[in-house]
Amino acid sequence: SRNEKGWKSWFDKDAPEEEIIPDGYNDSLDTCHKLLLIRSWCPDRTVFQARKYIASSLEEKYTEPVILNLEKTWEESDTRTPLICFLSMGSDPTIQIDALAKKLKLVKSECRTISMGQGQEVHARKLIQMSMQQGGWVLLQNCHLGLEFMEELLETIMNTEASDESFRVWITTEPHDRFPITLLQTSLKFTNEPPQGVRAGLKRTFAGINQDLLDISNLPMWKPMLYTVAFLHSTVQERRKFGPLGWNIPYEFNSADFTASVQFIQNHLDECDIKKGVSWSTVRYMIGEVQYGGRVTDDFDKRLLNCFARVWFSEKMFEPSFCFYTGYKIPLCKTLDQYFEYIQSLPSLDNPEVFGLHPNADITYQSNTASAVLETITNIQPKESGGGVGETREAIVYRLSEDMLSKLPPDYIPHEVKARLVKMGHLNSMNIFLRQEIDRMQKVITILRNSLSDLKLAIEGTIIMSENLRDALDNMYDARIPQIWKRVSWDSSTLGFWFTELLERNSQFSIWIFEGRPNVFWMTGFFNPQGFLTAMRQEVTRAHKGWALDSVTIHNEVLRQTKEEIVAPPAEGVYIYGLYMDGAAWDRRNGKLTESTPKVLFMQLPVLHIFAINSTAPKDPKLYVCPIYKKPQRTDLTFITVVYLRTVLSPDHWILRGVALLCDMNS
């Protein structure tokens, strides 16, 4: 770190790969080494540097986005070569295939379409036979729902001579593990990804609207409300790319949701009393709970959708000053052309703040994209032992197994654990929880010890390499967690993180059982954190005469201290450390939520005091209700509980930001 300032200033740039690398590395590193440097320092810029590497190694044209030319694709096919389109979210090539059929003026026929699913094989068979004899195209949609028929289709195409040369089979399918590989090998494969961004989304939505729809109502509220639904439609789709910050579950919102919402607003305006105006509570409910909300299964996603409806759909939307975000206002247009002109003037790249997110969300998105690309590359690497120079896979894994075995903690001796629990009070709810956690930890240690010892023997050739051991060898070589370990433990991004976490988890249990209850708990280290919080509620309830568990709820206070500054346990409840804030930061001095620092994705929360109160009354609505998850994947399975955080801004601001607390940042 001789030139720490220089490196820090390089790192803080928006696009470090475009800047000069300090200390002469700019000239001494080739593009491949620069790629390795960018990957380790700025994971979110990996794909940008990879483009430069591809351009310098191959050619510039391989880095350009490909515009799908269906006609050229069709020219390469013949009667025995089907064309397969892999569907991605929000894209469907049906309209383009139909348009191509019309353009080519197919003799005697059009494009015959059928959507696959239960019982559709009979109709598909007829269509194929008919087209083989008379010519023309057959489009089989959603073939991942009719996989059995795909084998038969391949046989028909290969073994039956088509009497007409214009016969073609087009297939659309989502990627599926059980899709017949031979059919894939004999076909031409393409995909059609929808353009990204608000501008592209609005263009696509308005392309499906005609002037009659614009003129259907002469009420002044109609056109602004129509545009706002279109903007919401683009926003809910665009938020998907930001992963859990955008939506906990990536929903397949489509044009049917938009059409249904527009139809509802049209009906509502037809029936509404001009004096009373729009019933906003009805509009918000229909959009947030029914039209778009009908797809949403996660409670926090439902909260987000209702928040959009609340913030955007109100009388304020008709004020000239209203905007979704700086530069994104509701245009006052009379014709479709005027709308298209306005949409064309919007930026081609959107700041995440347009969707309510912090600019840091883009770093998360770019990092996730890079990880997905590298994960795919790793998965398709050959698994056989290399015949080249250097250590073999087996030798590397053997050494790793020995190293892990030497660091593995000793087994818990049942009678020692029991004696300690009796001494501490084995009927205390927290100690019952501790016993259950130690039992689960012992199971992990046993499985790990056995499989590492067996793996060493199998590599030496003493015992046969079973399927589980082969899986362990492959995964350990790739620094991943073997399936047999993952089943009894927890997930982590790499084997190194996983094993370090094992040692840290075990250390917390071992200190608790042999040295006494800790002042501060590391909640990440528990198999069942919900059980821990329930045990704490039971403990507090029993300490108060006349309290009933049903009416006791959890409340919390964020302290100013860090874990190291805590010297004694709380009088009641528990202190918790090791939680990370995602989507926001914490102002420690003033004890409130604040915006994230640029390029800092996660911030550790100071110690959190969680306690129980004898009241089921609703909490202060000015507090932000923040969910806690075990992992960055925010699902029902990783959800633990909610905490209440102080904020100066409206809680709606943090709902749109997707703010949550995570026990672990490594996905």
Side-chain angles (χ1 to χ4, degrees):
S1 60
R2 285 167 308 167
N3 180 13
E4 197 172 317
K5 224 177 195 170
W7 283 98
K8 175 89 174 75
S9 123
W10 173 77
F11 173 78
D12 284 338
K13 294 278 196 292
D14 285 342
E17 75 283 359
E18 301 293 345
E19 305 292 330
I20 290 172
I21 304 171
D23 294 347
Y25 283 107
N26 209 55
D27 303 321
S28 64
L29 297 180
D30 60 16
T31 47
C32 181
H33 286 104
K34 281 180 186 168
L35 175 58
L36 297 176
L37 179 74
I38 293 282
R39 166 72 186 139
S40 49
W41 275 62
C42 326
D44 57 304
R45 307 305 296 171
T46 307
V47 174
F48 298 91
Q49 181 61 29
R51 283 203 185 102
K52 294 185 158 207
Y53 169 60
I54 292 165
S56 73
S57 311
L58 300 166
E59 262 182 82
E60 190 73 49
K61 70 175 184 188
Y62 291 107
T63 65
E64 299 296 326
V66 178
I67 306 293
L68 179 67
N69 184 333
L70 269 187
E71 193 168 343
K72 277 195 167 166
T73 314
W74 165 76
E75 282 168 6
E76 286 182 37
S77 69
D78 57 43
T79 55
R80 289 195 166 158
T81 311
L83 299 108
I84 299 183
C85 175
F86 296 110
L87 299 169
S88 53
M89 275 189 187
S91 77
D92 184 4
T94 309
I95 298 166
Q96 290 157 287
I97 294 170
D98 274 338
L100 180 62
K102 289 190 179 82
K103 182 186 168 190
L104 297 170
K105 295 192 177 71
L106 287 179
V107 197
K108 305 174 279 192
S109 72
E110 66 295 2
C111 179
R112 303 182 182 98
T113 305
I114 185 164
S115 189
M116 296 307 288
Q118 205 169 0
Q120 291 299 310
E121 294 84 356
V122 186
H123 308 295
R125 231 171 262 134
K126 277 185 192 161
L127 278 188
I128 288 165
Q129 282 162 0
M130 190 163 89
S131 301
M132 279 186 138
Q133 287 157 10
Q134 301 173 8
W137 296 355
V138 176
L139 169 57
L140 304 174
Q141 295 173 315
N142 298 327
C143 288
H144 53 283
L145 304 176
L147 290 172
E148 286 76 20
F149 182 67
M150 291 297 101
E151 300 278 6
E152 183 189 320
L153 172 70
L154 179 65
E155 221 165 282
T156 310
I157 293 173
M158 288 298 143
N159 302 333
T160 315
E161 192 68 50
S163 12
D164 194 300
E165 281 302 307
S166 70
F167 167 71
R168 292 289 184 281
V169 175
W170 296 79
I171 291 171
T172 71
T173 176
E174 286 179 11
H176 197 289
D177 298 344
R178 289 190 16 248
F179 198 92
I181 197 118
T182 11
L183 180 57
L184 285 175
Q185 287 166 337
T186 55
S187 309
L188 289 173
K189 296 156 287 288
F190 66 96
T191 186
N192 185 19
E193 298 216 327
Q196 288 187 334
V198 167
R199 187 167 83 180
L202 284 171
K203 273 186 187 171
R204 203 163 59 239
T205 302
F206 272 85
I209 291 176
N210 55 28
Q211 189 63 40
D212 294 346
L213 182 65
L214 279 186
D215 301 334
I216 209 156
S217 168
N218 48 17
L219 287 175
M221 299 88 94
W222 165 240
K223 289 190 184 73
M225 287 178 82
L226 173 69
Y227 185 84
T228 305
V229 175
F231 197 90
L232 175 72
H233 186 65
S234 283
T235 302
V236 295
Q237 290 189 310
E238 283 299 307
R239 272 187 79 111
R240 273 195 309 232
K241 73 179 189 187
F242 297 103
L245 270 175
W247 294 107
N248 290 351
I249 297 166
Y251 303 99
E252 289 253 7
F253 296 112
N254 61 34
S255 51
D257 305 320
F258 171 73
T259 316
S261 303
V262 169
Q263 185 64 55
F264 158 72
I265 285 173
Q266 187 189 319
N267 296 349
H268 183 68
L269 290 181
D270 286 347
E271 292 161 16
C272 89
D273 183 339
I274 298 293
K275 291 189 187 108
K276 286 185 184 166
V278 177
S279 162
W280 291 111
S281 56
T282 312
V283 170
R284 289 176 196 147
Y285 180 82
M286 287 301 287
I287 287 173
E289 294 284 345
V290 181
Q291 319 290 22
Y292 283 91
R295 288 188 186 280
V296 175
T297 52
D298 182 277
D299 291 345
F300 292 99
D301 285 342
K302 184 69 68 78
R303 174 178 81 161
L304 168 67
L305 198 50
N306 282 319
C307 184
F308 272 123
R310 197 167 50 245
V311 173
W312 286 351
F313 290 87
S314 69
E315 285 299 326
K316 281 187 182 159
M317 69 190 288
F318 305 127
E319 292 170 9
S321 60
F322 177 84
C323 63
F324 302 107
Y325 176 67
T326 318
Y328 292 78
K329 58 183 190 3
I330 300 178
L332 296 169
C333 305
K334 287 194 170 61
T335 66
L336 264 181
D337 288 344
Q338 289 172 334
Y339 273 111
F340 277 118
E341 201 175 311
Y342 172 75
I343 292 167
Q344 190 54 43
S345 73
L346 293 174
S348 57
L349 288 172
D350 308 298
N351 183 323
E353 289 195 80
V354 177
F355 317 117
L357 294 158
H358 189 273
N360 280 355
D362 204 45
I363 297 177
T364 309
Y365 164 60
Q366 299 291 0
S367 303
N368 291 346
T369 307
S371 300
V373 169
L374 294 168
E375 172 90 355
T376 308
I377 292 171
T378 312
N379 282 339
I380 57 177
Q381 293 303 305
K383 296 281 186 284
E384 271 55 59
S385 305
V389 192
E391 266 190 310
T392 61
R393 285 159 61 86
E394 284 76 8
I396 291 168
V397 173
Y398 189 89
R399 205 165 29 114
L400 183 59
S401 302
E402 283 194 316
D403 183 46
M404 286 170 82
L405 277 169
S406 68
K407 290 176 182 165
L408 204 58
D411 289 336
Y412 286 94
I413 299 161
H415 70 85
E416 281 185 11
V417 171
K418 197 172 179 184
R420 286 294 308 162
L421 283 167
V422 169
K423 199 173 177 186
M424 289 158 69
H426 66 292
L427 292 178
N428 172 301
S429 54
M430 290 292 261
N431 294 337
I432 291 171
F433 166 78
L434 174 62
R435 196 198 73 224
Q436 292 167 341
E437 291 284 306
I438 285 179
D439 288 348
R440 288 186 69 173
M441 194 66 199
Q442 182 53 52
K443 194 177 175 187
V444 177
I445 294 171
T446 306
I447 284 184
L448 205 59
R449 203 183 308 282
N450 292 344
S451 63
L452 286 172
S453 308
D454 287 351
L455 187 57
K456 280 175 65 185
L457 292 172
I459 290 171
E460 287 167 356
T462 314
I463 61 169
I464 290 168
M465 180 79 74
S466 69
E467 202 174 318
N468 278 339
L469 293 176
R470 166 63 56 194
D471 171 75
L473 187 130
D474 288 342
N475 279 304
M476 284 170 72
Y477 182 74
D478 290 336
R480 291 176 183 170
I481 307 134
Q483 285 303 324
I484 187 170
W485 304 355
K486 207 190 280 188
R487 258 181 246 133
V488 295
S489 63
W490 54 90
D491 203 358
S492 194
S493 54
T494 67
L495 184 59
F497 280 131
W498 182 89
F499 193 67
T500 307
E501 193 175 322
L502 173 100
L503 301 179
E504 286 171 356
R505 281 174 177 236
N506 185 69
S507 156
Q508 173 165 260
F509 295 141
S510 153
I511 288 169
W512 188 354
I513 189 94
F514 295 118
E515 296 173 26
R517 182 165 163 166
N519 295 336
V520 195
F521 291 95
W522 180 50
M523 198 162 72
T524 312
F526 296 136
F527 288 93
N528 178 12
Q530 291 95 325
F532 172 69
L533 295 174
T534 305
M536 181 274 294
R537 269 175 60 218
Q538 287 172 329
E539 187 178 61
V540 174
T541 308
R542 286 174 188 172
H544 292 266
K545 205 172 178 190
W547 282 25
L549 192 61
D550 292 348
S551 61
V552 171
T553 54
I554 286 178
H555 201 51
N556 61 276
E557 186 66 44
V558 183
L559 308 183
R560 286 187 180 178
Q561 293 103 307
T562 58
K563 173 207 168 196
E564 289 70 30
E565 293 162 349
I566 299 284
V567 290
E572 244 184 27
V574 287
Y575 287 153
I576 282 168
Y577 76 96
L579 295 177
Y580 295 91
M581 193 124 246
D582 188 13
W586 185 256
D587 176 351
R588 219 167 115 187
R589 183 183 295 162
N590 301 310
K592 63 181 174 59
L593 278 168
T594 182
E595 292 289 11
S596 305
T597 314
K599 288 205 172 198
V600 178
L601 301 184
F602 301 102
M603 179 187 179
Q604 191 158 359
L605 194 72
V607 170
L608 181 69
H609 179 201
I610 295 190
F611 51 91
I613 52 171
N614 192 21
S615 157
T616 52
K619 305 284 192 287
D620 181 354
K622 291 196 201 73
L623 295 172
Y624 171 61
V625 182
C626 181
I628 302 182
Y629 294 95
K630 295 179 196 170
K631 297 273 168 196
Q633 296 81 10
R634 305 181 187 180
T635 64
D636 289 349
L637 296 174
T638 59
F639 174 71
I640 299 173
T641 185
V642 294
V643 289
Y644 302 88
L645 302 177
R646 289 205 192 90
T647 165
V648 173
L649 294 164
S650 152
D652 284 351
H653 178 80
W654 305 113
I655 293 174
L656 296 180
R657 284 277 193 262
V659 174
L661 282 166
L662 308 176
C663 289
D664 180 14
M665 302 175 298
N666 301 307
S667 56

